[in-house]
């Protein structure tokens, strides 16, 4: 349980991280286009620096909330709680290096750290060269910054900012930080979408269209979008009465107390209704109420197999 003082500092640091998050996102999508042109040198420099600052501050906030403020302070064992608070108020508190904080994250939250290690290290190298030298980006760097920065901001920084909260709606949190328009431009940024679409494909039987950001980056296995981070944890997919794909999303939490609920196919986009058949208790999607695909009297009725019986794959988390 963190003290009121620790939570106050964590909130303050997170607010500063959000400042750099907004600036990085705005710079990144300022030249919004669908071509493969690399960023300009100056813009890449600004985006890298702001992204790294947002990441470092978000990490500090996360570590304070999860491990207490002493874990990020140099010489913490020789300081009393009151001395720590006084030094913080006087801006004389000395904290650990980012490298030390990364190691602590790796030790205490490997699930967050492992899949972003490469991106973190690469960004840190670029940032250090920008600060201490004149870093000259080559064309590959100028293009890679587009998806690397967006991935760090959307996935990692948001997780560090709000990962301590249960049942977090990350898209809504990011919208609140960025504004609806900036959030939409960021998660639909073409180089970033191309990058996460490949990852979604590795984690899916079929990649579907996300109902939140309208990108084809929603995994039918993970039940989440790899672009905007929208998750439908309690949802399941059933067969579409139009295209036949196992891609129809519906509100299964309320289907047992309603005659039917709205349903949408994430593959073909056709709307239908989902209902629980009163005869067989299985759930179907159809255009006519109670037109059950499992116990229909018509010849060729579907076999009563679960709507989301899909073979498991080893996920690559982002």
């Amino acid at each position: 349980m963190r003290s009121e003082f620790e939570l106050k500092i964590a909130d303050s640091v997170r607010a500063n991280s959000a400042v750099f998050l907004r600036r990085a996102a705005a710079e990144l999508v300022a030249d919004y286009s669908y071509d493969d042109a690399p960023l300009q040198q100056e813009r890449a420099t600004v985006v890298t620096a702001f992204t790294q600052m947002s990441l470092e501050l978000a990490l500090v906030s996360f570590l304070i909330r999860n491990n207490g403020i002493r874990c990020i302070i140099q010489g913490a064992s020789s300081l009393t709680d009151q001395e720590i608070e006084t030094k913080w108020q006087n801006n004389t508190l000395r904290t650990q290096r980012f490298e030390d904080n990364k190691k602590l994250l790796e030790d205490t939250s490997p699930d967050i750290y492992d899949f972003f290690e490469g991106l973190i290290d690469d960004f840190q190298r670029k940032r250090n060269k920008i600060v201490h030298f004149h870093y000259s980006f080559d064309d590959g760097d100028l293009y890679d910054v587009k998806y690397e920065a967006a991935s760090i901001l959307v996935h990692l920084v948001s997780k560090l900012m709000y990962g301590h909260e249960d049942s977090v709606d990350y898209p809504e949190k990011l919208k609140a930080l960025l504004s609806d328009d900036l959030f939409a431009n960021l998660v639909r940024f073409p180089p970033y979408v191309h990058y996460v679409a490949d990852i979604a494909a590795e984690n899916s039987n079929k990649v579907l269209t996300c109902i939140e950001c309208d990108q084809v980056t929603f995994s039918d296995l993970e039940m989440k979008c790899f672009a905007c981070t929208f998750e439908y944890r309690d949802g399941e997919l059933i067969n579409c009465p139009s295209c036949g794909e196992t891609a129809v999303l519906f509100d299964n939490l309320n289907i047992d107390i309603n005659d039917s609920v709205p349903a949408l196919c994430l593959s073909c986009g056709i709307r239908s209704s989902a209902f629980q058949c009163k005869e067989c208790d299985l759930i179907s999607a159809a255009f006519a109420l109670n037109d059950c695909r499992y116990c229909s009297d018509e010849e060729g009725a579907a076999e009563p197999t679960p709507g989301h019986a899909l073979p498991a794959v080893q996920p690559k988390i982002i």
Side-chain angles (χ1 to χ4, degrees), residues 101-291:
N101 291 338
K102 276 173 51 184
K103 184 63 170 65
L104 183 57
L105 179 69
E106 182 180 13
D107 292 341
T108 59
S109 301
D111 55 330
I112 294 179
Y113 178 84
D114 287 349
F115 297 97
F116 292 91
E117 181 179 4
L119 284 177
I120 294 173
D121 290 343
D122 191 41
F123 247 81
Q124 188 179 1
R125 284 191 294 270
K126 289 189 178 80
R127 181 263 181 191
N128 289 343
K129 290 180 180 180
I130 288 169
V131 171
H132 301 293
F133 305 97
H134 172 68
Y135 182 67
S136 180
F137 292 85
D138 59 32
D139 285 345
D141 289 333
L142 292 171
Y143 182 83
D144 291 347
V145 166
K146 285 184 169 184
Y147 70 79
E148 289 174 350
S151 297
I152 289 174
L153 294 173
V154 173
H155 294 274
L156 184 53
V157 171
S158 68
K159 294 291 191 299
L160 293 173
M161 282 184 167
Y162 298 107
H164 61 284
E165 299 179 11
D166 294 330
S167 303
V168 173
D169 187 339
Y170 289 108
E172 289 305 314
K173 292 289 188 181
L174 280 172
K175 284 181 185 178
L177 288 173
L178 297 174
S179 81
D180 288 356
D181 289 343
L182 183 53
F183 172 78
N185 285 340
L186 183 61
V187 299
R188 294 171 183 168
F189 191 48
Y192 165 68
V193 172
H194 179 76
Y195 171 69
V196 296
D198 287 343
I199 299 175
E202 295 176 14
N203 291 272
S204 309
N205 278 340
K206 182 178 178 62
V207 184
L208 305 170
T209 301
C210 176
I211 61 173
E212 179 72 25
C213 67
D214 201 35
Q215 302 303 297
V216 186
T217 48
F218 187 87
S219 167
D220 62 352
L221 295 178
E222 297 289 318
M223 292 299 286
K224 72 176 183 181
C225 175
F226 283 78
C228 72
T229 75
F230 167 75
E231 294 186 40
Y232 202 73
R233 297 175 181 175
D234 297 316
E236 63 179 286
L237 299 171
I238 56 178
N239 292 88
C240 177
S242 178
C243 70
E245 295 284 354
T246 306
V248 173
L249 193 67
F250 65 99
D251 181 7
N252 68 317
L253 293 180
N254 293 311
I255 195 167
D256 58 340
I257 59 173
N258 290 280
D259 290 335
S260 66
V261 294
L264 173 68
C265 180
L266 304 186
S267 180
C268 68
I270 296 296
R271 295 184 180 276
S272 59
S273 295
F275 60 90
Q276 187 167 16
C277 179
K278 293 180 173 58
E279 298 295 327
C280 67
D281 283 336
L282 296 173
I283 297 173
S284 290
F287 300 114
L289 186 61
N290 294 327
D291 184 13

